[in-house]
Amino acid sequence: ALETISRADLVLRQLSELHERTDVNVMVIATRSHADHYNAPYVFYTDNKVRQFAEAALAGKSLSQFAMEMEGFLISGLKCAY
C-alpha cells in the first residue's frame, strides 16, 4: 500500500503541474482490484468543473460513490455483458 500511495502521489503531482502549465483538465479514479490490497478508492481532479461535469453525467452520483462501486465491481470479478 505504501508503494501505491507514493507512486500515486508522484503521478498526481505531475498531473497538477500539467494542469497549472497548460490548463489541461484531468480526472483520475484509482481503486484496488483485489480484496487483499489495502488502498482506499481515490478520486483526483484538476478543476472543480471536472467534478461537476462527472457528477452530472453520473446522474448526481458523487465521484466517491462511483469510485466505491467501481472498486466493488473490480474486486467481485463480475464481467460486463458487453
Side-chain angles (χ1 to χ4, degrees):
L2 198 53
E3 181 179 356
T4 300
I5 292 168
S6 64
R7 290 192 181 271
D9 283 346
L10 175 64
V11 169
L12 298 179
R13 259 195 316 269
Q14 291 174 337
L15 290 173
S16 291
E17 290 172 7
L18 174 68
H19 173 70
E20 290 171 12
R21 292 182 180 149
T22 65
D23 206 29
V24 168
N25 284 298
V26 177
M27 180 175 69
V28 174
I29 299 174
T31 70
R32 59 190 179 144
S33 54
H34 298 283
D36 59 346
H37 295 170
Y38 298 109
N39 50 301
Y42 186 81
V43 177
F44 168 85
Y45 45 88
T46 52
D47 189 293
N48 200 40
K49 288 187 243 179
V50 173
R51 181 195 57 79
Q52 291 170 340
F53 169 78
E55 290 180 354
L58 293 167
K61 184 180 296 186
S62 74
L63 286 175
S64 295
Q65 180 64 36
F66 177 80
M68 286 187 284
E69 291 175 8
M70 181 174 131
E71 179 181 66
F73 177 82
L74 293 170
I75 290 172
S76 73
L78 292 173
K79 304 286 187 224
C80 286
Y82 48 89

